[in-house]
Amino acid sequence: MSVMPTMSSATVVKVRLVKAVAMLVLLSIPCAPASETETPAGFLSLNTTLFYLMRTMTALKGTIDFFQRNHKMVNLDAVIGSRIVEGSLKVLLRNLNESRQEDKLPAEVTSEMWTLYHMAKDMSDAAEPHVAESEALYYHRIGPVIREGLWELNYPMRSLSSTVPLWKFSPKEAMTETQSDDCLTEFFGTGDTKEKCFISEKCWNRMTSLGYSQYSLSHQIFYLQIGELSGCMAHIVWNILMHNQPGLHVLQDTFCANMLREAESFDRAGLPAVFQDLFMEQGALCGMYGYYEFFRYDWLEHILGWQDRAEGCYKWAGWPLEKSARRNYRLKREERRLDGGCLCHRTTVAAAALVQYVRFLTEAYLQQAAQLMDSPQ
């Protein structure tokens, strides 16, 4: 991390001590294989869970196939999605193998998972050079987010804490996407500072303050995930300690509990088109943390229903009647419109959400199968 060059020897010792404490904290972070998770099996039958799992993998395959066909035209945002799919499936398959649960799944399920993993990896590898050329400045600044092997978060299924603070929804964003990107460059050393894992006071306060809503809140979760995945966890824990914050898992609980509250409010409002992208992004980000409250069968039905099955992509609401006006759709800076009304960002967050459902449904299936085996005949 960044320190002043004139530090005293006592300060150096203190820095080393706090970083050592931070590493001890990191070692205590749970990371469980599929057999040890808390995934609630729910009320569905085993066959119904398998049916949902196969449907979800089919939809996910459609998104990746769409990106593959358009890999020369997609933006960096799309490759984030394919890397998330690649990394999430790699972790899932590894956990299944290490917990000796892979053989407990139908052969067609594991075969399809491997197919999806390789499709996502091939798509990411093929698209990255085109993104590097077409979005050179953006790629220089945050290109490390699409590095192969980055998106391998491995959190056990868990529930949200009921004791974290909740706040009112705000219709205004607290930060711009450029401000969020500026803080990501501090992890990568691609911004004003060339030192990796540098965390400025301004960015830490911005990215961990309470009370944000909508995309500002999702940027905060994305920021913490990127910091962890980029090898900057000791620096994150250091800042938590120095700012007297309760801990990384409490931050995760707090942000995702408030994100869940927003998602539920969108659901009660009928999931209007203006919030559908954000709704899927919420499920993807907090799903990667293993919070099973974000996995609901009726929510999955909505996500599956929004897909254009012929193209495999996700289009803006109102297509084809609103080809140019796109009323009720919020256009993000990272968005790129492709032929036929397909949108890169919308398809990206859908793919990222769908792959988390693949993980959830897989673990739900295994739990249900185990319960059937243990039940008296």
Side-chain angles (χ1 to χ4, degrees):
M1 66 174 295
S2 177
V3 292
M4 296 299 293
T6 56
M7 286 194 306
S8 67
S9 60
T11 302
V12 171
V13 171
K14 182 179 179 181
V15 168
R16 290 175 178 172
L17 176 62
V18 175
K19 291 182 75 173
V21 172
M23 292 309 299
L24 289 174
V25 173
L26 295 182
L27 292 175
S28 68
I29 294 177
C31 182
S35 59
E36 298 178 9
T37 61
E38 305 177 9
T39 313
F43 57 87
L44 297 182
S45 68
L46 190 66
N47 286 339
T48 305
T49 300
L50 180 59
F51 171 72
Y52 270 106
L53 176 56
M54 298 304 293
R55 279 183 66 197
T56 303
M57 288 196 293
T58 298
L60 180 58
K61 193 173 192 175
T63 64
I64 302 171
D65 184 62
F66 165 75
F67 282 142
Q68 282 185 325
R69 298 194 312 269
N70 295 275
H71 73 273
K72 294 182 180 180
M73 296 176 286
V74 299
N75 59 4
L76 186 144
D77 200 58
V79 186
I80 294 175
S82 58
R83 288 296 191 199
I84 288 175
V85 172
E86 173 190 339
S88 297
L89 288 173
K90 184 176 181 180
V91 169
L92 175 59
L93 287 162
R94 183 172 64 230
N95 285 345
L96 289 170
N97 177 263
E98 291 176 354
S99 62
R100 299 182 179 180
Q101 298 244 66
E102 192 171 355
D103 292 341
K104 297 178 182 179
L105 290 169
E108 63 268 26
V109 170
T110 52
S111 175
E112 188 69 358
M113 284 181 188
W114 279 111
T115 296
L116 290 169
Y117 163 74
H118 288 296
M119 285 180 64
K121 184 181 184 307
D122 291 346
M123 150 55 202
S124 303
D125 293 344
E128 185 169 353
H130 298 282
V131 169
E133 181 178 354
S134 64
E135 298 179 275
L137 178 59
Y138 193 40
Y139 181 79
H140 169 74
R141 281 168 53 78
I142 68 166
V145 299
I146 59 173
R147 187 178 72 241
E148 180 182 353
L150 179 72
W151 286 98
E152 295 181 15
L153 280 174
N154 190 11
Y155 280 80
M157 282 290 177
R158 52 182 173 156
S159 60
L160 288 162
S161 171
S162 60
T163 62
V164 296
L166 298 175
W167 49 80
K168 292 183 179 180
F169 175 82
S170 173
K172 295 183 179 180
E173 296 288 358
M175 74 177 83
T176 66
E177 289 166 326
T178 300
Q179 289 173 326
S180 175
D181 290 348
D182 288 343
C183 292
L184 293 180
T185 65
E186 293 186 346
F187 289 137
F188 309 139
T190 57
D192 293 336
T193 176
K194 306 308 175 187
E195 181 181 353
K196 293 183 179 179
C197 294
F198 173 86
I199 299 177
S200 67
E201 185 77 5
K202 177 179 65 177
C203 276
W204 185 255
N205 289 335
R206 175 187 296 157
M207 304 311 289
T208 63
S209 292
L210 306 185
Y212 294 177
S213 299
Q214 301 188 87
Y215 285 106
S216 296
L217 179 56
S218 70
H219 287 325
Q220 290 181 302
I221 296 173
F222 191 71
Y223 172 84
L224 292 177
Q225 290 177 341
I226 292 296
E228 176 179 348
L229 294 166
S230 298
C232 302
M233 276 291 283
H235 303 78
I236 289 174
V237 175
W238 158 274
N239 275 275
I240 288 172
L241 293 172
M242 292 300 96
H243 289 84
N244 295 315
Q245 292 169 313
L248 179 59
H249 279 204
V250 177
L251 281 177
Q252 293 168 351
D253 269 353
T254 301
F255 290 156
C256 283
N258 282 277
M259 190 164 273
L260 178 67
R261 194 180 190 187
E262 284 188 18
E264 291 174 335
S265 70
F266 300 156
D267 184 33
R268 289 193 298 271
L271 290 170
V274 68
F275 291 125
Q276 288 173 7
D277 282 45
L278 179 57
F279 175 78
M280 292 188 285
E281 187 168 307
Q282 291 168 335
L285 292 173
C286 290
M288 281 190 278
Y289 276 147
Y291 292 118
Y292 60 71
E293 290 91 343
F294 284 84
F295 302 108
R296 305 185 184 184
Y297 294 103
D298 57 333
W299 288 5
L300 175 58
E301 285 285 3
H302 287 300
I303 297 173
L304 293 173
W306 294 332
Q307 184 180 34
D308 184 292
R309 295 185 182 180
E311 295 289 341
C313 70
Y314 283 69
K315 301 180 178 183
W316 62 69
W319 175 269
L321 298 178
E322 297 176 10
K323 291 185 178 181
S324 57
R326 289 175 288 113
R327 293 188 298 275
N328 297 323
Y329 180 73
R330 175 181 178 174
L331 187 64
K332 290 175 63 62
R333 174 175 54 79
E334 302 98 335
E335 190 59 275
R336 176 168 295 182
R337 291 164 287 180
L338 300 177
D339 291 343
C342 294
L343 297 173
C344 278
H345 179 266
R346 188 173 172 86
T347 306
T348 291
V349 294
L354 287 169
V355 75
Q356 306 315 314
Y357 270 100
V358 168
R359 182 260 180 111
F360 169 77
L361 290 164
T362 297
E363 297 190 7
Y365 178 90
L366 290 170
Q367 186 183 43
Q368 289 172 317
Q371 289 173 350
L372 287 175
M373 290 287 292
D374 294 339
S375 62
Q377 299 298 319

